[in-house]
């Protein structure tokens, strides 16, 4: 189970790659002076030239004097990746794309809003969802809010990101139309949150 923020629309989404993440080989990491774990260096089966062996990120500054690191909070430290629908995806839109970021920042939100507004020049509506994967049985509640594109701002995305999606609400058998085969003491319903962003 995990959190997922995703976009949905009736047109395909363009991919946005995160410029702060890349896959590299062990050899390239060593040439760049990047520390590689000993267990990987000692693994005789590891292909040192495989360009997808390690995931490297430059989003942190390491302070070796006290053993801490600092998230540099780059505004472009996010990605938008087209994805296939699964049982957890309850949108009726034809296309979806995951929004991947380590956490909310105002700068990242501004760039995602820019992306949504650009997408809205080709379609009348884009949805942005915040859900907890694997909590679809019984079917979750869906809370939707319609927002005109010009009113979508960083604070709205901050609120969407902050919704408590990993918790479920205890319900009674009378509140669920079918028994679902779930014991009475385990009946819980999660909530999925959706903003419908509309072009005006």
């Amino acid at each position: 189970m995990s959190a997922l923020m995703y976009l949905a629309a009736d047109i395909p989404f363009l991919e946005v790659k995160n410029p702060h993440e890349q896959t590299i080989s062990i050899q390239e990491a060593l040439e760049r002076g990047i520390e590689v774990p000993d267990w990987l260096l000692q693994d005789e089966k590891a292909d040192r030239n495989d360009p997808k062996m390690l995931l490297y990120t430059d989003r942190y500054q390491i302070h070796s004097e006290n053993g801490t690191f600092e998230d540099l909070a780059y505004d472009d430290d996010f990605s938008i990746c087209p994805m296939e629908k699964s049982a957890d995806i309850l949108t009726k839109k034809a296309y979806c794309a995951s929004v991947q970021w380590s956490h909310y920042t105002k700068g990242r939100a501004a760039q995602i809003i820019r992306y949504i507004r650009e997408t809205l020049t080709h379609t009348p509506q884009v949805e942005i969802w915040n859900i907890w994967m694997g909590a679809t049985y019984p079917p979750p509640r869906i809370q939707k809010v319609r927002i005109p594109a010009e009113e979508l701002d960083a604070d709205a995305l901050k609120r969407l990101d902050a919704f408590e999606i990993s918790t479920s609400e205890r319900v009674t058998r009378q509140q669920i139309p079918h028994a679902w085969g779930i014991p009475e003491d385990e009946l819980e319903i999660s909530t999925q949150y959706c903003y419908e962003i509309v072009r005006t």
Side-chain angles (χ1 to χ4, degrees):
M1 297 183 133
S2 61
L4 173 66
M5 186 175 287
Y6 73 92
L7 301 172
D10 287 323
I11 61 169
F13 289 96
L14 297 176
E15 183 176 10
V16 175
K17 292 188 177 180
N18 188 326
H20 301 283
E21 293 179 350
Q22 60 181 299
T23 54
I24 60 175
S25 69
I26 295 171
Q27 189 59 40
E28 185 178 354
L30 293 171
E31 289 168 3
R32 289 190 191 183
I34 298 168
E35 188 174 328
V36 177
D38 286 339
W39 64 267
L40 191 53
L41 292 173
Q42 294 165 6
D43 185 349
E44 294 178 9
K45 293 180 182 176
D47 180 353
R48 287 185 173 224
N49 294 309
D50 179 351
K52 296 186 182 285
M53 183 60 77
L54 299 172
L55 176 65
Y56 173 73
T57 179
D58 68 352
R59 73 172 47 100
Y60 304 111
Q61 180 176 3
I62 299 171
H63 302 287
S64 54
E65 66 278 359
N66 58 11
T68 63
F69 63 91
E70 171 187 1
D71 185 338
L72 298 174
Y74 296 115
D75 289 346
D76 61 351
D77 187 7
F78 70 94
S79 63
I80 297 175
C81 303
M83 59 182 255
E84 297 293 322
K85 287 187 175 183
S86 68
D88 296 290
I89 307 299
L90 300 182
T91 182
K92 291 183 170 65
K93 301 291 185 191
Y95 298 95
C96 298
S98 65
V99 177
Q100 299 170 5
W101 58 6
S102 56
H103 58 84
Y104 165 90
T105 69
K106 192 170 187 175
R108 289 176 196 153
Q111 292 212 26
I112 292 168
I113 290 167
R114 192 173 307 121
Y115 177 93
I116 290 171
R117 288 183 177 150
E118 172 59 29
T119 305
L120 284 169
T121 63
H122 306 287
T123 189
Q125 185 181 81
V126 172
E127 296 174 343
I128 183 165
W129 292 72
N130 193 10
I131 71 169
W132 187 251
M133 301 281 286
T136 55
Y137 185 75
R141 292 187 178 101
I142 297 174
Q143 288 195 2
K144 286 189 174 183
V145 175
R146 181 172 280 232
I147 302 174
E150 65 272 8
E151 293 179 23
L152 180 64
D153 61 13
D155 285 339
L157 284 189
K158 184 177 184 179
R159 285 190 300 275
L160 180 65
D161 186 57
F163 283 129
E164 187 53 59
I165 58 170
S166 64
T167 59
S168 299
E169 179 185 334
R170 173 102 31 220
V171 292
T172 64
R173 184 137 343 258
Q174 291 76 28
Q175 292 174 281
I176 297 177
H178 303 287
W180 296 100
I182 302 172
E184 189 79 34
D185 63 343
E186 294 178 16
L187 283 171
E188 293 183 344
I189 290 183
S190 65
T191 302
Q192 294 191 1
Y193 299 91
C194 173
Y195 287 168
E196 296 176 319
I197 315 303
V198 293
R199 184 176 67 203
T200 53

